[in-house]
Amino acid sequence: MSFARRTLPALALALAWPGVVSADRRVHVVSAGDTLGALAARYHVTIDELRRWNELADDTIRVGQSLSVEQPPTLRYRAVAGDTLSCIATRFGVPIEQLREDNPGVGRRLEVGTVVVIVGGVDSRASETPDGSEPVRYRVVAGDNLARIARRHALSVEALVELNPGLTPDRVRVGQTLVVGQTTRSESLGVPWCGHVRGARQLGEHPGYVVRNPARSWATARTIERLRRAFDVVTRRDPRAPRVRVHDLSLEGGGAIDDHRSHQSGRDADITYYRRSGCGPGGCPLERMDPDQLDVRRQWTLFHAWLRAGDAEAIYVDYALQAVLHREARRRGATPAELAAWFQYPRGPRHAEGVIRHFPNHRDHFHVRFGCARGERSCR
Ligand SMILES: [Zn+2]
């Protein structure tokens, strides 16, 4: 009995001390008398490896310091179109200098299929934040009752009450928000030119636009909502408005996509302009737009819906088309402060202020980039 009591703390210490496993790597906590040479012999590795894995400048180690004593995990990543080394470094959380060092044959521009060795990297798509679920909400409108709301969302009344604890069935008010289901959390990760989308949603049909390529029409739930809401405004105000074409958003999981540098994180969309001469059933075409051909009235209604709500971080529009939009905005009551915040015009195409700004190749379509939404902690 007394023997067991005496050895128990020693055993616990022995278990906790040399081989603490953290993220599949063995870590040694340096104690008095340890040297790099002794540790190398003990763990059957070389001094050089210990230096490299722990980024040691020399052989000095301190008591209490944690040292990796095992080869860090190595990932092999196959490059896809649009990848860059710096994007891969960001995504896997390793310094770009280290990535260059570990891949001496790889140049600045990556060929598709190139295998990149990532020592000690962790795939941020899998590990940044756990996949969570979030409630789907519904706002009660006039004429609603619980049975009707439940039916519309394929629920029983009991299930609806269960989702909304404390709900009094006969006292549902207009404007009240109810939870009507659960969905996977949707968020933008990284930056538009090096990022991903978790829990992407696909852009559905709408009377205001034609979706050109469903496989490239994925984005965050928030982006989809912001897009649709602005087209709701246009079609409500003007039911006879032609449909524009919505070209690429992002791929389902985001990431590098052919023909674009951005469009990676579920916040970008390319859309054709409203045209005065009409657009046909296929939607307003992807054709060079002249200022006198631009249907400024409808175009401004759409842009204004995003600007007023503070949704858009940038709307890329060729400078040649900005003057007529600026005039329309002023005519419809935009204040000087709003005009200055919303338009780069008239300060010139190189001026770096204004949500609506010039970017080459945006004469036949505009590009809207939505800002990071609240709660998207990894969105940049
Ligand atoms: Zn674009």
Side-chain angles (χ1 to χ4, degrees), residues 248 259-260 262-263 268-270 316 362 365-369:
D248 293 354
D259 311 320
H260 304 278
S262 60
H263 290 262
D268 297 289
D270 288 336
Y316 297 117
H362 289 80
H365 74 285
F366 69 91
H367 173 140
V368 57
R369 171 167 303 152

Side-chain angles (χ1 to χ4, degrees), residues 84-120:
T84 62
L85 267 194
S86 72
C87 177
I88 293 169
T90 307
R91 186 183 314 159
F92 292 92
V94 296
I96 177 69
E97 298 76 21
Q98 181 205 312
L99 201 58
R100 285 210 189 93
E101 208 169 287
D102 292 337
N103 295 276
V106 175
R108 191 177 285 272
R109 281 195 68 82
L110 283 172
E111 302 257 334
V112 173
T114 303
V115 173
V116 179
V117 174
I118 307 161
V119 180

Side-chain angles (χ1 to χ4, degrees), residues 322-352:
Q322 290 185 27
V324 288
L325 283 165
H326 189 272
R327 195 183 314 141
E328 175 69 6
R330 213 175 43 216
R331 188 182 75 78
R332 302 225 325 237
T335 65
E338 284 172 336
L339 291 169
W342 291 344
F343 282 89
Q344 176 184 52
Y345 180 88
R347 294 169 286 197
R350 289 172 198 278
H351 188 84

